[in-house]
Amino acid sequence: MAPTNPAHVRTQTHLLINKVLEFGGAGDTKNGKAGQSISPFMLILDSLEMPAMAGLHGGGLVGEICGRVKQSKTASRTIFISFETLRPPENVDSVVRAHNACASPATISKLAKDVQLAITEAAKESANNIILVIDTLHALATQSHSNTYFSLPSYLTGLLTPPPSHPNVSINLLACYHTSLPSPTILSPPSTDGSAPSNPYAPNPLTLLLHLATTVKVLHSFPQNLEKRAVRSRAQVEPGFGLVEGIDGVVQGLGSCGGVRDASDRRHDRKSKAEASQGVVVEMQHRRRSGRGIVSSFVLERSLTPTTVRANNFVRSTVTLLRDHAAYQAASGVDTNSGSEGGAASTQDGEVESTFSMGLTEKQRKDREGVVLPYYDAQRGGVSEIAGDLSVDGRSAEGGRILYDMGVEDDFDEEEDEI
């Protein structure tokens, strides 16, 4: 049975979030074989507003996960497969360059061999758990959607297959998918070069990835999230940022961390550094083996306290549930200019200004208190509190009975009443 205590639920959610970020459970040897991670396939959906490789300590969410895996007690190794990243994040053990890996079927096959070779080298170093990090799946998704000879699920399964020389190694996948890029379109069936036509009924690659992933994390900008929260509390239309605004020339919106690869890089101004260090909002959907899904939103923020500095000079970011964050709770629509909620103007007495009086005079307040509500006698056990008397309007209280006084217009027939 699920816990109902809010404190228990909050603690359990914190433990789950930290365990997923560290690929907990992987590398634990049992019966001579490494155990499987709590999330064998983690998919990160980022955008130009909040890239997976930006913010926090310079490496974004990917750098945070790599740093936590490096600090874990298990013998873990991280292999970074770079399709577009020139400078990989820190705490990565090896890098496989794949900038032109999708140029032809031969280069795609060569990439799989290079990854298997890197896995074998990591396994020779007594690594029980290996994390494959792919900076973008867009190139592979394009091949999957335009060529029936290439299957994205089969290709990813081949990457996660342990080498024959080390069959007990546990391999997990961390991949990023850029939602700001247009989805791969179905090409027209070629007929001259002899290649196989594309399947027009094949599902979108993103749909396949969402179906295969055991954990899906959607990244949002924290300043933008606070702005949307404040607007929603005022019952107004949420603002759009970046490409959603639909303005020519606007690519990134206010508070976005796109392009800030390193928070300590002097080439960026102080404003960009401040926005990048304000944290990342992660909307996580974790799927257990039983099929039960857990949805949670939390904030990752930089932590500069000396107690969080561990090995490799890596500082863990603090994890705070979004609903418990002080800034998120404060952004409830309070207008700092007027000092009232929803932006409505208020007087010094706290009453809302309007074109008519919304208050009561002293006489109206006394008259309202003296009104006897219906069935008041029944609610008070037949005793009236008016002037301490036991009667109302000269009639004795009957304890909730309906009293009716006949008038001259009433026609009462005793014989019909007897029937």
Side-chain angles (χ1 to χ4, degrees):
M1 183 177 179
T4 57
N5 188 2
H8 189 189
V9 173
R10 186 179 294 104
T11 303
Q12 188 180 38
T13 305
H14 270 282
L15 293 176
L16 176 63
I17 292 173
N18 287 281
K19 192 173 183 180
V20 171
L21 290 176
E22 301 171 4
F23 279 93
D28 299 337
T29 305
K30 183 179 181 181
N31 299 328
K33 186 176 181 180
Q36 193 178 25
S37 169
I38 188 176
S39 178
F41 180 19
M42 186 184 304
L43 179 64
I44 300 178
L45 302 180
D46 63 350
S47 61
L48 290 174
E49 301 299 320
M50 193 63 251
M53 300 284 292
L56 297 179
H57 301 277
L61 180 60
V62 175
E64 177 73 19
I65 295 176
C66 293
R68 287 172 176 256
V69 172
K70 191 74 173 180
Q71 291 181 353
S72 60
K73 298 180 180 179
T74 59
S76 302
R77 296 293 184 273
T78 305
I79 301 176
F80 189 82
I81 305 175
S82 173
F83 281 91
E84 61 180 9
T85 305
L86 299 178
R87 184 177 57 183
E90 298 179 357
N91 300 314
V92 172
D93 298 295
S94 60
V95 180
V96 178
R97 301 292 178 179
H99 298 293
N100 297 322
C102 296
S104 63
T107 55
I108 296 178
S109 301
K110 183 178 181 302
L111 174 61
K113 295 179 181 179
D114 294 342
V115 173
Q116 287 293 323
L117 180 61
I119 293 175
T120 304
E121 294 295 332
K124 291 180 180 180
E125 300 176 1
S126 301
N128 296 328
N129 178 36
I130 296 177
I131 310 297
L132 295 180
V133 182
I134 302 178
D135 57 354
T136 176
L137 287 174
H138 193 267
L140 296 176
T142 303
Q143 291 292 327
S144 174
H145 211 52
S146 61
N147 190 357
T148 55
Y149 289 143
F150 181 82
S151 175
L152 181 59
S154 300
Y155 189 80
L156 295 179
T157 303
L159 296 180
L160 298 178
T161 302
S165 58
H166 301 83
N168 297 330
V169 174
S170 174
I171 305 176
N172 304 279
L173 179 61
L174 170 63
C176 303
Y177 189 91
H178 305 323
T179 57
S180 298
L181 295 178
S183 300
T185 57
I186 301 176
L187 302 179
S188 59
S191 58
T192 57
D193 55 358
S195 60
S198 59
N199 184 8
Y201 302 102
N204 189 278
L206 181 57
T207 304
L208 282 175
L209 294 174
L210 292 175
H211 178 73
L212 296 175
T214 53
T215 301
V216 180
K217 294 185 177 181
V218 185
L219 305 186
H220 304 280
S221 174
F222 191 35
Q224 294 179 5
N225 204 291
L226 295 179
E227 182 67 21
K228 293 181 180 180
R229 165 73 173 178
V231 171
R232 283 197 305 266
S233 63
R234 297 193 295 266
Q236 297 178 357
V237 181
E238 292 186 7
F241 298 95
L243 297 176
V244 183
E245 298 182 35
I247 302 177
D248 295 339
V250 176
V251 179
Q252 296 176 356
L254 175 66
S256 62
C257 294
V260 184
R261 293 291 181 175
D262 190 357
S264 61
D265 195 346
R266 295 183 179 180
R267 294 175 298 177
H268 303 285
D269 55 5
R270 296 181 179 179
K271 182 178 180 181
S272 299
K273 293 181 186 178
E275 292 174 354
S277 63
Q278 286 185 13
V280 181
V281 178
V282 183
E283 182 181 349
M284 183 184 73
Q285 180 183 1
H286 177 68
R287 300 161 185 169
R288 296 182 179 271
R289 297 179 182 178
S290 60
R292 176 171 172 259
I294 300 176
V295 180
S296 178
S297 298
F298 59 94
V299 182
L300 276 175
E301 291 182 301
R302 295 182 59 186
S303 178
L304 301 179
T305 55
T307 56
T308 57
V309 179
R310 298 186 181 182
N312 304 321
N313 296 325
F314 174 72
V315 183
R316 288 197 174 194
S317 300
T318 58
V319 178
T320 308
L321 295 181
L322 182 61
R323 62 176 180 268
D324 296 337
H325 199 279
Y328 187 79
Q329 294 178 352
S332 58
V334 177
D335 193 352
T336 56
N337 296 327
S338 61
S340 61
E341 185 174 353
S346 61
T347 61
Q348 297 180 354
D349 298 335
E351 297 181 357
V352 179
E353 293 183 351
S354 61
T355 57
F356 56 90
S357 177
M358 300 180 63
L360 296 176
T361 62
E362 189 66 23
K363 182 178 181 304
Q364 292 173 345
R365 187 176 292 105
K366 291 182 179 180
D367 293 342
R368 184 183 63 178
E369 295 175 355
V371 175
V372 180
L373 299 178
Y375 305 106
Y376 188 85
D377 296 340
Q379 298 174 7
R380 297 298 181 181
V383 180
S384 174
E385 296 181 356
I386 300 180
D389 196 1
L390 298 179
S391 63
V392 179
D393 296 338
R395 295 175 300 183
S396 60
E398 297 293 340
R401 293 178 55 187
I402 299 177
L403 305 177
Y404 179 73
D405 294 336
M406 294 184 57
V408 294
E409 296 85 2
D410 295 328
D411 184 13
F412 179 75
D413 193 347
E414 298 181 356
E415 295 180 358
E416 293 180 359
D417 184 66
E418 293 178 358
I419 294 175

